[in-house]
Amino acid sequence: MLKGLGESLQVTLRKLRGLPVVDREALEEVLKELERALLSADVKVELVQQMLENVRQRAFKEDIPPGVSRRDYVIKIIYDELTNLLGRRYHPLTLVKRQLTKIMLVGIQGSGKTTTLAKLARYYQKRGYKVAAIAGDTFRPGAYDQLRQLLEPIGVEVYGDPNEKKSTKVVKKGLKYFEKKKIDLLLIDTAGRHKEEKGLLKEMQQIAKIAQPDEIILVIDGTIGQQAYAQADAFNRTTPVGSIIVTKLDGSSKGGGAVSAVAATGAKIRFYGDGETIEDLEEFDPVRFVANLLGLGDLQGILQRIAEATSTEQQEELMEAFKRGRITLQHFKMQLESVAEAGTLRRILSKLPGVGKGGPFSGLPVDEMDDESVKVFLAILRAMTREELENPKIIKGTRIHRIARGSGTHPDLVRALLKQFNQTQAMLKRMRKMRKQRGVPGMGGIPGMQGPPF
Ligand SMILES: Nc1nc2c(ncn2[C@@H]2O[C@H](COP(=O)(O)OP(=O)(O)O)[C@@H](O)[C@H]2O)c(=O)[nH]1
Ligand SMILES: [Mg+2]
């Protein structure tokens, strides 16, 4: 994957790990190598500078959890910031079985649409969906045959009409053809005759009007590097049901530039292609992507140690707060941060016992929140002032609106968070009371954390 970039990043990290101490001077050396690696992958200069500056700022500002070396912590920061560079968020494309989803692929000729369509068909077929395709590229001779050659061996039916020159007509007839066939996923291929964004988008809109796709995927050739920005940006602005697949990351030294440029537009990247066969399609999750790039084996131990140290430190502080019987939003935030961190790690390592769970919030509402709500709540909490976190009662009226704006959410969500916090607090009070009635002294059972805390 990403020929070159992964290797040079790994070399840099290996050097970093060999350093006896990481002081400012040593860090600058590392940053210089990072810069070189990213620039040669065609990552835009401004993005590289911003990323390096973030690492620089964080490396000597953040509190390092006890028992963790600055060296390991710097590796974790580099890992974090590379993930940010690639958009951080994971946008899986989930379908509903026995319900038709129509996906249309667009992109300039040669970007990899037809190949990617076949890969998508394979990907969803393997997951038990019934897939079919419409050969909507009536421009390129042999486009229909190319699709059939890719899909017939795996038993995916293709509709096409080599005698029809109007793609909108083929699409219309194809939709009719598959109407009663109980298809879960219908993939629509297009021509991409136009090289510039404007023409491409116009062509796309004409077919979309007929096809009414649930999602339009722009296929971008990863070998064009940071030039991918213009295409992705034009597409992202005009296509609310749009997402992106970046292809050819296997052979290109510029793949990093393409992926970071697309991420910088805010567009969703769903998958990436890393080979010519029908199996070479990978889900794009920045967290896993960077972990692979940096070498999972090397990274795993470090991330795990840091997560555990952070979580232990935070849990101790939380225990204290519980014993005192007074929790604030600050504690709420701390717990959510460790849940979020654990979620990230789970995505990398698939399963990690003991991180983030079993803390004092076990069994309480925050412990049951899904990843998405954790992210939203964290954004809200991060938009609050220290005073508000310590004393949630003051959060009313205009403060709610300011926090909603600052976190890019809605006042109702801020209120929902406050409500959830109040519920948690009320539940804790009830538990304390029950404990007292049963004659259990104080909160004695908690600190050891061997059994369930409550
Ligand atoms: N190495 C590599 N080649 C790819 C990838 N995706 C597509 N290709 C190749 O790119 C060329 C153009 O692909 P095609 O699907 O016909 O592009 P279209 O014109 O957009 O439909 C073909 O030779 C494909 O084999 C990829 O992920 N890796
Ligand atoms: Mg094609």
Side-chain angles (χ1 to χ4, degrees), residues 19 21-32 60:
L19 291 175
V21 274
V22 178
D23 52 15
R24 284 182 193 273
E25 204 180 324
L27 180 68
E28 285 310 315
E29 279 301 307
V30 171
L31 293 183
K32 222 176 270 163
F60 288 93

Side-chain angles (χ1 to χ4, degrees), residues 314 318 328-340 361 377-378 380-386 389 421:
Q314 288 181 347
L318 287 169
T328 66
L329 281 173
Q330 197 76 268
H331 300 110
F332 209 57
K333 185 174 162 214
M334 232 187 256
Q335 181 71 6
L336 285 183
E337 268 164 357
S338 93
V339 171
F361 283 84
F377 274 17
L378 265 180
I380 293 172
L381 288 162
R382 284 174 183 150
M384 291 180 182
T385 64
R386 184 169 285 263
L389 289 169
F421 173 72

Side-chain angles (χ1 to χ4, degrees), residues 198-211:
K198 251 201 188 140
L200 188 67
L201 292 175
K202 210 163 157 206
E203 183 188 343
M204 167 185 106
Q205 274 150 4
Q206 284 165 355
I207 305 177
K209 228 168 117 185
I210 307 285

Side-chain angles (χ1 to χ4, degrees), residues 251-421:
S252 170
S253 58
K254 292 188 173 181
V259 176
S260 56
V262 173
T265 69
K268 292 185 215 111
I269 305 178
R270 299 272 200 209
F271 294 92
Y272 63 95
D274 63 350
E276 289 188 65
T277 83
I278 198 163
E279 308 288 342
D280 298 322
L281 184 74
E282 312 290 335
E283 294 161 15
F284 180 73
D285 176 358
V287 160
R288 280 185 280 155
F289 191 84
V290 175
N292 282 329
L293 210 56
L294 298 184
L296 187 54
D298 285 348
L299 204 58
Q300 175 170 350
I302 294 173
L303 292 181
Q304 205 157 335
R305 269 202 304 285
I306 293 177
E308 274 161 13
T310 311
S311 144
T312 309
E313 197 189 17
Q314 288 181 347
Q315 299 300 0
E316 276 164 13
E317 205 174 324
L318 287 169
M319 294 304 174
E320 274 306 304
F322 272 57
K323 273 197 270 181
R324 286 197 311 272
R326 191 181 156 264
I327 59 159
T328 66
L329 281 173
Q330 197 76 268
H331 300 110
F332 209 57
K333 185 174 162 214
M334 232 187 256
Q335 181 71 6
L336 285 183
E337 268 164 357
S338 93
V339 171
E341 191 75 10
T344 305
L345 266 175
R346 253 198 314 280
R347 268 155 63 201
I348 306 174
L349 310 169
S350 70
K351 216 176 265 162
L352 238 202
V355 180
K357 291 261 166 194
F361 283 84
S362 305
L364 297 176
V366 322
D367 205 43
E368 320 241 297
M369 282 165 63
D370 58 86
D371 284 357
E372 201 49 40
S373 340
V374 169
K375 271 184 212 141
V376 170
F377 274 17
L378 265 180
I380 293 172
L381 288 162
R382 284 174 183 150
M384 291 180 182
T385 64
R386 184 169 285 263
E387 193 192 1
E388 287 162 348
L389 289 169
E390 294 293 346
N391 187 13
K393 283 201 187 71
I394 63 171
I395 305 175
K396 296 200 176 91
T398 54
R399 281 184 194 261
I400 290 186
H401 286 267
R402 192 212 74 235
I403 293 165
R405 261 198 316 278
S407 57
T409 62
H410 191 273
D412 284 348
L413 284 169
V414 180
R415 289 187 197 101
L417 179 143
L418 292 170
K419 194 171 157 203
Q420 174 136 28
F421 173 72

